[in-house]
């Protein structure tokens, strides 16, 4: 009987037994990311284990490394909340001096990356360390109990952006760290999603194989913080792509004018000019994405807020050179 | 043969780093320590030091990168001062808690506000509870030697703690003195290659470093830092002895000067010790029975040595370039801790002076002496005294 090769290595670096919540999208992201990294190291250096991880304080750190246990089957280091990129820089420099072949994977959540860790990330990218920085973006400070971060999208409920008489929830647009990373003109920057795991793996492999720094921002769902059904994480993430909320793109060598936008699926009509995506007509309204999440529940009582969100999403797409049409749900 | 060069303490620190052969250096410039990374940059650029020099974007990242490199198993070095050390503060605890033998050279400088680039010891003193070993240099030679000794102690398996070596801003950092640069071969023999036993990030033997500890384990982890500091007492003595054997220069945790029949002993640290020794000579010519003592090692606090010193004097006069608000100087607390349960103890009088680079003159020391003499004669004096304070501008 023919045995089909598994689509990704069966090697595990993020081992069973970690303490993440049921349905945690970020746990999925880390498991896939490390598998992808391993495959890349095998292809590049002939050694699937040729990597080490430096991780910021956050959900994924506290659930994976509770003394005396560990969920990590790769060399792993945690220092503090804001310095995964700086610690990774040190590890990379040490490896260089030790003559150790391989790559360092730095991991941080959106709080540890978009906010407190921004400076260290910028320093690491600018100094051209051979590090892949993976930002797992669950769009709030989930580790401390769902406070807003600068990566929290407009309109979202968090404990520090509660909707109320004078509040719509989070009232600022989301900060797109991938674009800030790209401004460093590093070899590789991408956005990804657990809603498209094959694409995510492909991008992680690509990031791991470049010489120099790379940055990947992966959206991962958080049933606790998003108040969403445990089993619907991947579905919600896919809807984020299909409704235009989460763009998938790649930027190589900081060439923002040559950004590679991916077709979103979900029936969206993509218009290209010279191979480049210039417009997308989405078919699914963002409400399909929003309605599965308790964090946006209050918006349905104020549909004008959802229109504001639509305008912000359009503006974000325009920043990356794409005119989008976002439908309203049929009455 | 060792060579003698005239150099600033900053250069001496850079030379020490070169001799110790760290594999990773991460630093961010700050006055008055800027010359340390500059000089190291030159060593690296000229191929005289085979190291990765990470020019980080902040002191926070400097120490974070050192933690990363040290956790990966290599010898690391950085230099900073004042606000830079304060910016490292959070990670200093982590470096000690993770038992990583990083060495920092610190050009001791005052802390803001008001911003001030000149000397006092508030920066390193403020880090006294981080678990780091602390050495203070009296002169440029000591700056070089103590950095080498700091590595020797820090990397000892019974210790495995980071260490900082302080030398006074401008008074030493920017002042040239003859410094003997030891032979590389002898330094190599003294320090050896750093071989980490516990800290490494090697894919062939993966380990997890920097975990979360629940209440069931945190206290024990902190205890090991305490224990390592206790172990360091003996290891420092051994390192001093070995250093003296190899290089001929003698160090002690507390160096005493003319203390044998002293009634009043001035205790201080850093470059002020030189001034105070001169002052003691000056007083001795007048027949005044005073002595001096220099704290070369501040952490671990040399409790036994302090007790031995205290037996020799009726008054201990502490001369401190730091302030612990509402208490006095840090040494005042530490000496009190060392002597509180002794059956016979001298009076301790605390003097705060020389903050933010204000010169400490013989006139200032006369002011302190007058108060110490009152205490000697059984008169009531303040426990904490600010010397050289310009009351007219308050």
């Amino acid at each position: 009987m023919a045995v089909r090769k598994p689509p990704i290595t069966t090697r595990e670096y993020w081992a069973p037994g970690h303490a993440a919540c049921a349905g945690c999208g970020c746990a999925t992201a880390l498991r896939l990311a490390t598998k992808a990294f391993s495959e890349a190291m095998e292809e590049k250096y002939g050694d699937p284990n040729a990597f080490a991880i430096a991780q910021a304080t956050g959900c994924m750190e506290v659930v994976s490394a509770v003394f005396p246990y560990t969920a990590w089957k790769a060399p792993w280091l945690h220092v503090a909340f804001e310095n995964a990129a700086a610690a990774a820089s040190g590890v990379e420099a040490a490896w260089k001096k030790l003559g150790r072949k391989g790559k360092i994977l730095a991991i941080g959540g959106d709080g540890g990356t978009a906010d407190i860790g921004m400076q260290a990330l910028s320093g690491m990218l600018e100094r051209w360390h051979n590090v892949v920085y993976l930002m797992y973006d669950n769009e709030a400070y989930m580790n401390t109990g769902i406070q807003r971060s600068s990566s929290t999208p407009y309109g979202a409920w968090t404990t520090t952006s509660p909707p109320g008489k004078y509040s719509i929830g989070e009232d600022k647009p989301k900060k797109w760290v991938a674009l800030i990373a790209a401004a460093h003109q590093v070899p590789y920057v991408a956005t990804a999603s657990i809603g498209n795991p094959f694409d995510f793996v492909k991008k992680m492999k690509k990031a791991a194989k470049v010489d120099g720094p790379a940055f990947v921002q992966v959206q991962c769902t958080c049933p606790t913080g998003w108040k969403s059904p445990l089993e619907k994480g991947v579905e919600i993430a896919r809807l984020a792509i299909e409704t235009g909320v989460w763009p998938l793109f790649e930027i190589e060598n900081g060439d923002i004018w040559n950004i590679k936008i991916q077709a979103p699926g979900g029936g969206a009509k993509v218009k290209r000019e010279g191979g480049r995506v210039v417009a997308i007509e989405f078919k699914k309204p963002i409400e399909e994405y929003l309605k599965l999440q308790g964090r946006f529940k209050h918006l349905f009582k104020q549909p004008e807020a959802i229109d504001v969100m639509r305008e912000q999403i359009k503006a974000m797409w325009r920043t990356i050179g794409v005119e989008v049409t976002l439908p309203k749900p049929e009455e | 043969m060792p060579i003698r060069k005239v150099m600033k303490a900053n250069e001496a620190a850079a030379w020490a780093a070169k001799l110790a052969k760290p594999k990773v250096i991460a630093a961010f410039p700050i006055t008055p320590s800027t010359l340390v990374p500059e000089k190291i940059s030159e060593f690296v650029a000229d191929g005289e030091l085979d190291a990765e020099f990470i020019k980080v974007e902040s002191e926070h990242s400097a120490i974070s990168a050192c933690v990363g490199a040290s956790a990966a198993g290599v010898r690391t070095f950085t230099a900073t001062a004042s606000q830079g050390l304060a910016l490292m503060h959070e990670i200093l605890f982590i470096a000690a808690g993770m038992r990583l033998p990083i060495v920092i050279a610190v050009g001791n400088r005052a802390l803001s506000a008001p911003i001030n680039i000149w000397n006092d010891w508030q920066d390193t003193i403020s880090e006294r509870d981080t678990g780091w070993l602390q050495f203070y240099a009296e002169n440029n030679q000591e700056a070089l030697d103590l950095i080498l000794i700091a590595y020797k102690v820090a990397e000892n398996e019974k210790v495995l703690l980071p260490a900082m070596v302080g030398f006074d801003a401008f008074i030493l950092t920017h002042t040239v003195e003859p410094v003997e640069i030891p032979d590389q071969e002898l330094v190599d023999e003294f320090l050896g290659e750093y071989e980490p036993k516990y800290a490494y990030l090697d894919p062939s033997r993966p380990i997890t470093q920097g975990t979360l500890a629940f209440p069931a384990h945190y206290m024990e982890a902190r205890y090991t830092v305490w224990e390592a500091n206790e172990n360091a007492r003996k290891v420092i003595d051994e390192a001093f002895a070995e250093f003296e054997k190899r290089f001929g220069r003698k160090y002690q945790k507390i160096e005493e000067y003319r203390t044998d029949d002293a009634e009043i002993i001035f205790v201080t640290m850093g470059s002020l010790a030189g001034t105070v020794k001169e002052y003691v000579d000056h007083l001795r010519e007048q027949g005044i029975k005073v002595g001096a003592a220099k704290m070369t090692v501040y952490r671990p606090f040399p409790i036994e040595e302090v007790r031995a010193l205290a037996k020799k004097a009726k008054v201990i006069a502490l001369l401190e370039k730091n302030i612990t608000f509402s208490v006095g100087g840090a040494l005042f607390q530490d000496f009190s801790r060392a002597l509180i349960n002794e059956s016979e103890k001298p009076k301790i009088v605390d003097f705060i002076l020389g903050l933010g680079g204000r010169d400490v003159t013989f006139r200032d020391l006369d002011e302190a002496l007058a108060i110490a003499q009152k205490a000697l004669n059984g008169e009531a004096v303040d426990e904490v005294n600010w010397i050289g304070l310009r009351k007219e501008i308050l």
Side-chain angles (χ1 to χ4, degrees), chain A residues 243 281-287 310 325-329:
Chain A
T243 58
E281 197 183 318
F282 287 92
K283 292 294 175 206
K284 289 186 182 175
I286 60 172
E287 281 84 346
R310 259 188 277 270
T325 316
L326 300 174
K328 287 196 174 193

Side-chain angles (χ1 to χ4, degrees), chain A residues 230-252:
Chain A
L230 299 182
E231 71 285 4
K232 290 206 185 290
V234 171
E235 184 182 332
I236 292 169
R238 193 178 299 143
L239 280 167
I241 303 165
E242 291 174 352
T243 58
V245 172
W246 189 267
L248 290 178
F249 58 78
E250 286 178 302
I251 302 170
E252 287 176 66

